Amino acid sequence: MADLYIGGEWVDARAGGRREIRCPADGSLVAEVAEATAEDTEAAIAAARRAFDTGPWPATPAAERGNLLLRTADLLDRDAEEFARAESLDTGKRLVESRYDMSDIAACLRYFGKLAGNEAGRVVDTGSADSFSRIVHEPVGVCGLITPWNYPLLQAVWKIAPALAAGNTFVLKPSELTPHTAILFMRLLAEAGLPGGVANLVLGAGPTAGAPLSKHPDVDLVSFTGGLATGRVIAANAAATVKKVALELGGKNPNVVFADADFETAVDYALTAVFLHSGQVCSAGARLIVQREWHDEFVDELVRRAERIRLGGPFDENAETGPLISAAHREKVERYVATAIEEGAVLRTGGKRPDDPALQDGFYYLPTILDNVQQGSTAVVEESFGPVLTVETFTDEDDAVRIANDTHYGLAGGVFTQDAARAQRVANRLRHGTVWINDYHPYLPQAEWGGYKQSGFGRELGPTGLAEYTEVKHIHQNLKPGPQHWFSG
Ligand code: TXE
């Protein structure tokens, strides 16, 4: 089936490549999709360039662009179940979580749909009645959007919605592991009335189908969510043509628990923070940093509860979390745990694949807790991106902040305490882009999302998220034009 979307047409990969998509929960074949090469991506870039340079979209009034996003949100609500099932088959995540994702996506479309018409620009005070200056926001141009497999459509729409609201055209390359909701979403955009060539979709591997989006001179902006190593490659590629770059590169997110927190609440959130979607969340609270006097009791309780987490496939209603995305990813998590143990971590639970015969065909890994990890060790420095919690302890507030900030990442973190002043002090001192107090993981489309340090740069969501996709132009008008006579002759 032709499932690359280029210039408003569904086409096959020019070289005829195909890729099997298999469900990580049981290895079953979901579908075969086109595998693009760089040539296909270049054709998609050319289509996006034409649509930007000569098409109607960039000059469409912002409120109309916003209305298109609002219509798309309504269409997504209509088809939410089909989308959720497709997302679950590709990712292996529980259907109930995919349904949440779809409603978050519709909320994001509505947020940017409404924001689109509010980009008013401003008048600049020139201090003179003889001139008039104003600032306007314009689209950047052709955007290359590269997204990962953990929240496939959500992460794509965090980029697509502001890009379209601002009047850009784009080429999306979703993860090669999870292409289906991107295909379905292109159909919705077309149904909502988006002109051909504004939205383009290529599918396939990063180094082949994805790389032109960070290199090609006709791409003006590249926005990437994924791993740190790939982010560095993309930023380096983009430097050659000085593209605008936005990167979200995950985190090694601290969850700081003070001994004055509500015990039950803190335990419960500590579990959700790290084991939601088996840890495959960029903001996963994978580093528990707990006050020393609570350590033993708190970790014992976490272990007890982690051992009761039920694993299962997307349509198993008893399952509480699902598999990892691929065999290769599970091997990465296994290597991470083995290295942590070699470096002195104490394995308190998990650390292996489940024995349940029903789970043997999927890429499952047991919820794992590693105690006594040392600052600077691999377990504390590197993302596992799996269901693995590491435990560190602290003595006082300064110690907690120092440990929580001791990472080259800076995406998100949590603080649990019943002392309101302490909560604010610690939140202010954490060098992480989002801090949750007595909470973990809530997501608001109207609040900026992005990382400090090597978690990336540029912001998604919120008004700044829209600003990432605009250029700012200053238009200055002389209201009393006439010769200036700078030069005597
Ligand atoms: O990610 P990649 P991978 C982290 C997590 C994970 C690690 C590696 O720690 O274990 O990254 O995961 C495309 N030019 N995160 O290998 O490579 C690729 O096809 C252009 C955190 O799956 O970053 C896919 O579409 N594109 C993260 C996308 O980049 C390229 C979510 C992400 O893949 C490319 C996922 C290239 N040269 C993993 N190489 C988060 N921030 O949430 C790859 N790609």
Side-chain angles (χ1 to χ4, degrees), residues 147 149 173 175-176 206 224 226-227 230 248 250 282 332 383 385:
T147 51
W149 41 260
K173 200 218 65 78
S175 166
E176 58 276 29
F224 169 77
T230 305
E248 202 268 65
C282 49
K332 175 189 154 167
E383 241 187 352
F385 222 61

Side-chain angles (χ1 to χ4, degrees), residues 338-345 372-374 376-380:
T339 305
I341 293 169
E342 274 164 30
E343 292 182 0
N372 193 39
V373 296
Q374 302 302 313
S377 65
T378 312
V380 170

Side-chain angles (χ1 to χ4, degrees), residues 338-368:
T339 305
I341 293 169
E342 274 164 30
E343 292 182 0
V346 176
L347 178 67
R348 290 292 309 270
T349 188
K352 61 184 175 99
R353 304 175 184 189
D355 299 325
D356 183 348
L359 301 179
Q360 296 312 304
D361 292 335
F363 308 124
Y364 292 92
Y365 194 76
L366 288 176
T368 297

Side-chain angles (χ1 to χ4, degrees), residues 144-147 159 221-225 244-247 460 469:
L145 311 178
I146 305 171
T147 51
K159 301 180 192 306
L221 174 152
V222 59
S223 178
F224 169 77
T225 301
K244 306 259 179 307
V245 180
L247 301 172
E460 299 197 286
Y469 290 87

Side-chain angles (χ1 to χ4, degrees), residues 146-151 155 173-177 204-214 224-231 233-234 237 248-251 280-283 325 329 332 383-385 409 411:
I146 305 171
T147 51
W149 41 260
N150 51 342
Y151 289 84
Q155 275 152 335
K173 200 218 65 78
S175 166
E176 58 276 29
L177 302 174
T208 45
L213 297 178
S214 63
F224 169 77
T225 301
L228 181 54
T230 305
V233 170
I234 284 172
N237 287 344
E248 202 268 65
L249 305 179
Q280 302 170 114
V281 184
C282 49
S283 51
I325 187 70
H329 185 49
K332 175 189 154 167
E383 241 187 352
S384 82
F385 222 61
Y409 286 107
L411 187 63

Side-chain angles (χ1 to χ4, degrees), residues 287-338:
R287 286 178 79 196
L288 172 67
I289 302 174
V290 60
Q291 199 155 15
R292 190 172 302 281
E293 48 267 50
W294 262 24
H295 169 273
D296 293 357
E297 196 187 348
F298 199 83
V299 177
D300 285 350
E301 183 61 7
L302 284 177
V303 168
R304 190 185 71 78
R305 290 200 42 195
E307 286 176 351
R308 296 170 57 166
I309 293 175
R310 292 187 301 266
L311 302 181
F315 309 112
D316 174 352
E317 288 184 357
N318 291 319
E320 295 172 299
T321 191
L324 297 175
I325 187 70
S326 64
H329 185 49
R330 180 167 65 178
E331 282 159 22
K332 175 189 154 167
V333 173
E334 288 172 333
R335 280 195 303 277
Y336 168 94
V337 171

Side-chain angles (χ1 to χ4, degrees), residues 69-401:
L69 294 179
L70 298 177
R71 282 198 299 282
T72 308
D74 292 343
L75 294 174
L76 181 60
D77 285 347
R78 182 195 68 192
D79 295 349
E81 195 61 16
E82 182 191 7
F83 273 75
R85 292 185 80 82
E87 199 78 302
S88 281
L89 286 170
D90 279 5
T91 59
K93 83 166 69 165
R94 295 181 311 147
L95 185 60
V96 62
E97 289 181 43
S98 296
R99 287 179 181 144
Y100 284 131
D101 291 353
M102 295 313 135
S103 77
D104 281 350
I105 293 163
C108 178
L109 289 164
R110 292 194 171 100
Y111 171 74
F112 283 109
K114 289 178 189 143
L115 200 62
N118 297 344
E119 277 286 330
R122 70 191 156 94
V123 172
V124 175
D125 182 1
T126 63
S128 158
D130 297 348
S131 61
F132 177 74
S133 265
R134 65 195 170 98
I135 301 295
V136 295
H137 298 268
E138 297 188 338
V140 173
V142 173
C143 302
L145 311 178
I146 305 171
T147 51
W149 41 260
N150 51 342
Y151 289 84
L153 190 59
L154 185 69
Q155 275 152 335
V157 169
W158 283 17
K159 301 180 192 306
I160 290 172
L164 290 180
N168 297 279
T169 64
F170 71 83
V171 179
L172 169 67
K173 200 218 65 78
S175 166
E176 58 276 29
L177 302 174
T178 55
H180 280 110
T181 47
I183 298 171
L184 295 175
F185 194 70
M186 293 297 126
R187 292 189 197 146
L188 284 198
L189 288 175
E191 186 181 344
L194 191 69
V198 175
N200 300 276
L201 175 69
V202 293
L203 308 175
T208 45
L213 297 178
S214 63
K215 291 182 177 166
H216 199 287
D218 279 345
V219 176
D220 301 293
L221 174 152
V222 59
S223 178
F224 169 77
T225 301
L228 181 54
T230 305
R232 287 183 180 134
V233 170
I234 284 172
N237 287 344
T241 49
V242 196
K243 296 187 195 321
K244 306 259 179 307
V245 180
L247 301 172
E248 202 268 65
L249 305 179
K252 193 69 200 177
N253 311 291
N255 183 19
V256 179
V257 176
F258 284 89
D260 62 2
D262 179 74
F263 188 88
E264 281 301 310
T265 305
V267 166
D268 201 64
Y269 277 96
L271 291 165
T272 315
V274 64
F275 295 130
L276 178 76
H277 195 15
S278 288
Q280 302 170 114
V281 184
C282 49
S283 51
R287 286 178 79 196
L288 172 67
I289 302 174
V290 60
Q291 199 155 15
R292 190 172 302 281
E293 48 267 50
W294 262 24
H295 169 273
D296 293 357
E297 196 187 348
F298 199 83
V299 177
D300 285 350
E301 183 61 7
L302 284 177
V303 168
R304 190 185 71 78
R305 290 200 42 195
E307 286 176 351
R308 296 170 57 166
I309 293 175
R310 292 187 301 266
L311 302 181
F315 309 112
D316 174 352
E317 288 184 357
N318 291 319
E320 295 172 299
T321 191
L324 297 175
I325 187 70
S326 64
H329 185 49
R330 180 167 65 178
E331 282 159 22
K332 175 189 154 167
V333 173
E334 288 172 333
R335 280 195 303 277
Y336 168 94
V337 171
T339 305
I341 293 169
E342 274 164 30
E343 292 182 0
V346 176
L347 178 67
R348 290 292 309 270
T349 188
K352 61 184 175 99
R353 304 175 184 189
D355 299 325
D356 183 348
L359 301 179
Q360 296 312 304
D361 292 335
F363 308 124
Y364 292 92
Y365 194 76
L366 288 176
T368 297
I369 298 180
L370 295 169
D371 199 358
N372 193 39
V373 296
Q374 302 302 313
Q375 270 183 279
S377 65
T378 312
V380 170
V381 171
E382 285 182 13
E383 241 187 352
S384 82
F385 222 61
V388 185
L389 181 68
T390 63
V391 184
E392 296 159 89
T393 54
F394 67 88
T395 50
D396 58 17
E397 203 172 299
D398 283 344
D399 199 32
V401 169

